[in-house]
Every structure is written in C-alpha cells, then in structure tokens.
Amino acid sequence: MSAVLQPSGHAGHAGHDDHAHGRPHGWRRWLFATNHKDIGTMYLLFSFTMLVVGGTLAMGIRAELFEPGLQFFNPEMFNQLTTMHGLIMVFGAIMPAFVGFANWMVPLQIGAADMAFARMNNLSFWLLVPAAILLVGAFFMPGGAPAAGWTLYAPLTLQMGPSMDFAIFAIHIMGMSSIMGSINIIVTILNLRAPGMTLMKMPMFSWTWLITAYLLIAVMPVLAGALTMTLTDRHFGTSFFSAAGGGDPIMYQHIFWFFGHPEVYIMILPAFGMISQIIPAFARKKLFGYTSMVYATASIAILSMIVWAHHMFTTGMPVTGQLFFMYATMLIAVPTGVKVFNWTATMWRGSMSFESPMLWAVGFIFVFTIGGFTGVVCAMAPVDTQIQDTYYVVAHFHYVLVAGSLFAMFAGYYYWAPKWTGVMYDETRGKIHFWGSMITFNLTFFPMHFLGLAGMPRRYADYPMQFADFNMIVSIGGFGFGLMQLYFFFFVVLPMLRGKGQPAPQKPWDGAEGLEWEVPSPAPWHTFETPPRLSADATKVVG
C-alpha cells in the first residue's frame, strides 16, 4: 500500500515545486491552488455561500407571499428577487457544487494524481468570484437588479436597466468557467485513468460527470449566443428578439430552452452518479444493472437535446410540433425510470443500514420520483396549457432540483466528507438535518401543486384571499427549510472543518467500493503519484 500511495508532498518528482517544498500555506495555498482537493473545497464553499445568498432571496419571496396584500416589496422588487434567486441558485450554487464534487472525487476514483490541467482548474474556479460579485452587485445598480425572470425572456430583457448587462456578463463568465471545468474533467477521465481501469469499470459518479461535461460543452455556447444577441439588441441596433424591428421574441425562447433543457440534466446527472455509489454501499450489494445505468445516462443526455420546446406549448406551436415534443418528453422518462428501477433493485434484499448518506439517498429517490411524475403531467400538451406558468410548475422543478440535486449533494457530502476531513460527522445531527429538511421541504413545495391547479400564477407579488392558507403553510415550510441548511453548516460542516469528531477510518462504510477508500483519511494532499495497480474489478489497490 505504501508503495502505491505516497502520502504528502515529499515523494515524486524533485523538480516539481509543489512536491519539492510541500504544500504552500496561508492565502497563497488558496489563491494559487492547483491541487484538485483544494480547488474542490473552494468550489464547495463558494457554492454554499451562493446557496445562502439565493436562499435569502427566496426567504424574501416567501415573506412577501405569507399573506395577501403587499407587505415588504413592490412588484418590481419582487420580480428582481425571483429573477436573481433563480440565476444565483442555478449558476452560483448547484452547478459549482457539482464541479466541486468532481474536482474532489474524479481523480480519487480513477486513480489519477490530479486533474489534467491544474492551472486551468484554478482559473475556472477564480472566474466564479468576480461573476458572483457582478451578479449580486446588480441589486445596487440604478434601477435595481434584472426583473425579467431567471430565463431572461425578451422583450423584457430589452427594457431592463444597466444591471441587465452586468447579469449577462456574469453569466458569460460563469459559462466560461463551466466549459473549462468540463474540458478538464473529460481529459482527466479519458487520459489519466489508472492502468486497467477501462471505461466500463469506472465508478458511476465519474461516468455521469463524463457525460455531463460533454453536455455542458454542447449547450453552454448556445446560452452565450442567446445572451449575446440580447446584448446586441440592447446596444447595437439589431432586432433578433424585437418585434418592432422584425425580430421574434419566441426565437429567444427556442434558443434559451435548447440550452435550458439539457441544463436541467446537467444539474441532475451527477446527482444520479452519487446516488448510484451510495445505494450499493449501504445495501452492501453491487449496483444492479451497471451497464444499463451507463446507457440510460447517455440516453438521457442525447434525448435532452430534442425535448426543449415542451417549455413552449402555450406559444402558439402547431399541433404537429406539440405532438413531437410531447412524445419525446415522455420518452425521456424511460431511461430515468430505468435508473429508479435499478436503485430499487439494488436495495432489494440487501443488508441495508440507514446512516445519514443512505437516508438522503432514499429520500432523494422518493422525492425525485414525485418530481418525475409531476413532470410527466407537464409533458401532456393539453394539461400543460392549463398549468403553464402556475405554481404547479414551480412545485415540479423544485422537486426535481432541490429534492434532486441538493438532496443528492447532501448524501454525497455525508458519504465522502469523512474522507476529506479525516473526522466523522455527528450521526444524530445528520439525522436531524435530514428529517428536518425532508419535512420542511415537502411542507414548502407540496402545497404549491394545489395552488397551481387552483390557478395561482407564479411570479406574482400578491394574490386573492382563496390562496392565503396554502401560501402561509408554504412560507412557514420555506423558512424552516432555510433554517435547516444553516443548522447543517454550523452543526455538521463547521465541526468537521475544525477537526472535531471521531477520527474517520480509512473506509468508514462497510459496503463502499472504489479507489477513494484505498487512501488514508483525511486524503493526503497528493495521492496516486505512482499509478495504482488495480484489482480485477478496478475497485481496490493491490500491492
């Protein structure tokens, strides 16, 4: 074992500065970071900061909607809150968090010494910071933040103040960061796998990120194109989306959703990979149908490119178009169903235990499946015509994105953090966080289905009396859910960062498999400097 894993920065190539002098200390370690573990940590801390910022805006939304009438914000400010909440959560919280997990875990899982392009890795992280400042700073500009909805639909975007340009610039920069991160992940996975680890022996998390990275490279330039066209409409006299000049606002929706629907899967496929690692570990069984999981992931990625216009059933689309996008959308439910079936089959007759990672994983399957079913309802064009732009849609995508992406990330944190920090989290606190979040999440978003079916439109700052009771329940649940995430940070994460807790064994979970469990806890700053010799199934180091 010691021949394979050289713990810190003294072994390896003497000519390499980091290796010769050990790790840098103080602010230089973080500002000039090229180590995948440090960069992964920074991504995760950045994304949690943005989660708190975006969550604070959500609390403003729910405070306003606690009862009928205008309480705290005028409608314009309310629209700024909803717009910025969406942008910050999607581009600032969820996407960087998954890149953080990829930075930490992909090299460990494939037996690589680091990411392929270490300095580009540093740049891709540090681009996020000015982008976030630009995005949040929009609130302090003349006219306030953009108020066009997170989808930034024309013609509203053409009428916004100067903060719109800053938001466009910020999203461009975040897109560049995503593309660089994706290139890094693809090259790392394809070129730096340990000898003997074929693609079909790779852990599912690495597989899902490989496919996600290709998706990101395919669709981020599409968003950049739409935003650049918006920018030229605003300042350079073009009329791509301005009907007055012969343009078409609907064209913006087509371009945006051609990015936007694959983006939904960019935010859920890595979550599928995490759950596919955690369920077998706590069921103490091999993942059921590994090959079908890989093909299902690839199928979802491919199909995601041909279903974009199901967001646009109410834009006057011809019936033929509605039928095509309706059937394509229902078809994409098949590979997703394959995954849920495989997870259930993995648990079937397994020797299961329910530590916090497994609770989050099972909770994920439950709530994500509800989100999937409500999505199939939205896929039906005649039904969608009724529920489009109501709170039913808000409920659906929060079940997919909060219960999907966020719950999976919590599962991944509880599963892998002992390896990162070298200490075990407090199991009781982990369970309080899980049950508190699960109850308050459902209290927040389940009643929204009924509000939507009753006809309450989204993005409205006020509503009539008949929606008051459900809105009050939703707001109470929302504040509870927000408090649970602060509890998570102060009572689970901070003690681990400070090294408080039981020392974590090298392999804290009985059924866990993979190379990441072959290194000590906490994982040494440099790992796998010599490529590991693998067992036949590529899950262990031999020799």
Side-chain angles (χ1 to χ4, degrees):
M1 184 69 174
S2 59
V4 178
L5 303 174
Q6 297 155 344
S8 199
H10 302 295
H13 309 291
H16 191 303
D17 287 349
D18 282 356
H19 296 223
H21 305 297
R23 75 178 80 178
H25 292 286
W27 58 270
R28 282 184 181 80
R29 174 181 174 186
W30 304 102
L31 185 62
F32 303 125
T34 51
N35 183 286
H36 72 98
K37 301 179 182 75
D38 285 349
I39 293 173
T41 301
M42 291 197 295
Y43 264 109
L44 290 168
L45 290 173
F46 170 85
S47 67
F48 191 84
T49 305
M50 296 305 281
L51 185 80
V52 171
V53 174
T56 304
L57 302 183
M59 295 304 96
I61 294 167
R62 289 320 316 172
E64 178 57 58
L65 295 175
F66 187 77
E67 57 187 20
L70 295 179
Q71 329 295 327
F72 304 105
F73 308 111
N74 61 31
E76 176 71 10
M77 182 65 191
F78 183 84
N79 284 345
Q80 292 177 30
L81 292 178
T82 53
T83 301
M84 298 303 288
H85 165 70
L87 289 173
I88 287 168
M89 287 303 202
V90 169
F91 296 106
I94 300 293
M95 290 172 69
F98 277 132
V99 180
F101 275 101
N103 261 292
W104 250 106
M105 298 315 304
V106 166
L108 286 179
Q109 289 193 333
I110 65 173
D114 208 309
M115 298 293 278
F117 305 119
R119 287 187 176 87
M120 187 167 85
N121 205 11
N122 175 287
L123 178 61
S124 67
F125 170 74
W126 282 110
L127 279 175
L128 290 175
V129 177
I133 293 168
L134 281 174
L135 202 54
V136 177
F139 276 109
F140 306 102
M141 297 193 65
W150 82 273
T151 51
L152 304 176
Y153 274 4
L156 270 175
T157 44
L158 309 182
Q159 301 158 10
M160 291 285 130
S163 63
M164 189 72 231
D165 304 320
F166 277 66
I168 288 172
F169 191 32
I171 294 166
H172 270 309
I173 296 171
M174 287 175 162
M176 287 191 280
S177 167
S178 293
I179 289 171
M180 284 195 279
S182 300
I183 291 169
N184 218 340
I185 288 164
I186 290 171
V187 175
T188 302
I189 290 174
L190 294 185
N191 289 357
L192 300 185
R193 295 193 311 283
M197 180 177 280
T198 61
L199 282 174
M200 294 310 285
K201 288 180 180 173
M202 255 190 348
M204 273 307 301
F205 178 67
S206 294
W207 248 120
T208 52
W209 242 118
L210 178 64
I211 291 166
T212 302
Y214 276 112
L215 257 188
L216 265 165
I217 290 172
V219 301
M220 285 308 290
V222 178
L223 175 66
L227 293 176
T228 305
M229 291 156 86
T230 302
L231 201 63
T232 59
D233 273 12
R234 284 171 57 82
H235 296 294
F236 300 111
T238 58
S239 294
F240 292 112
F241 310 131
S242 169
D248 184 4
I250 300 297
M251 182 170 75
Y252 176 87
Q253 297 189 29
H254 278 291
I255 301 169
F256 178 86
W257 285 116
F258 188 80
F259 149 81
H261 203 78
E263 166 69 11
V264 173
Y265 291 100
I266 286 164
M267 292 190 284
I268 200 67
L269 289 181
F272 290 166
M274 289 183 188
I275 300 303
S276 301
Q277 306 258 183
I278 293 166
I279 296 278
F282 292 92
R284 291 160 180 82
K285 279 174 64 185
K286 289 277 189 193
L287 178 67
F288 180 91
Y290 170 91
T291 308
S292 64
M293 287 291 249
V294 172
Y295 285 120
T297 308
S299 305
I300 288 171
I302 293 161
L303 289 171
S304 74
M305 308 288 278
I306 61 163
V307 297
W308 77 89
H310 65 208
H311 297 268
M312 301 169 56
F313 283 147
T314 54
T315 58
M317 190 188 300
V319 173
T320 319
Q322 291 189 21
L323 285 171
F324 170 81
F325 287 107
M326 185 165 82
Y327 293 144
T329 305
M330 286 191 273
L331 187 63
I332 209 168
V334 176
T336 311
V338 167
K339 287 178 172 296
V340 175
F341 174 80
N342 285 10
W343 292 325
T344 312
T346 304
M347 290 188 283
W348 178 252
R349 303 191 72 173
S351 177
M352 286 200 291
S353 58
F354 291 95
E355 291 89 343
S356 295
M358 185 62 162
L359 283 177
W360 283 104
V362 174
F364 164 91
I365 295 173
F366 172 68
V367 283
F368 179 77
T369 304
I370 293 174
F373 280 130
T374 57
V376 172
V377 171
C378 293
M380 311 290 171
V383 181
D384 186 72
T385 305
Q386 298 298 314
I387 57 179
Q388 172 73 16
D389 271 332
T390 69
Y391 264 77
Y392 188 91
V393 178
V394 179
H396 157 66
F397 73 67
H398 280 87
Y399 262 86
V400 174
L401 279 184
V402 183
S405 301
L406 195 63
F407 279 23
M409 284 193 267
F410 286 139
Y413 177 84
Y414 284 104
Y415 183 59
W416 282 314
K419 179 59 64 186
W420 303 343
T421 61
V423 294
M424 295 299 293
Y425 60 88
D426 184 298
E427 189 62 59
T428 305
R429 291 177 180 180
K431 286 180 174 165
I432 290 170
H433 178 219
F434 169 74
W435 287 110
S437 297
M438 180 61 87
I439 291 164
T440 54
F441 169 81
N442 284 289
L443 195 64
T444 306
F445 294 105
F446 201 74
M448 285 187 186
H449 293 103
F450 304 120
L451 285 169
L453 291 170
M456 180 173 168
R458 62 179 176 175
R459 299 182 186 162
Y460 275 41
D462 195 6
Y463 53 86
M465 202 65 199
Q466 66 260 35
F467 301 136
D469 292 347
F470 271 150
N471 267 300
M472 186 176 287
I473 292 168
V474 168
S475 290
I476 291 167
F479 279 103
F481 187 72
L483 287 172
M484 287 316 302
Q485 307 332 311
L486 293 178
Y487 174 88
F488 165 67
F489 184 74
F490 286 109
F491 293 97
V492 179
V493 177
L494 271 187
M496 294 182 80
L497 292 178
R498 290 173 177 161
K500 293 179 180 174
Q502 295 290 325
Q506 179 173 309
K507 186 177 172 183
W509 318 115
D510 293 344
E513 284 194 340
L515 295 185
E516 67 261 41
W517 307 112
E518 299 292 315
V519 302
S521 298
W525 203 55
H526 288 299
T527 42
F528 299 122
E529 291 184 13
T530 305
R533 286 168 42 224
L534 302 180
S535 59
D537 61 356
T539 60
K540 291 184 176 64
V541 175
V542 293

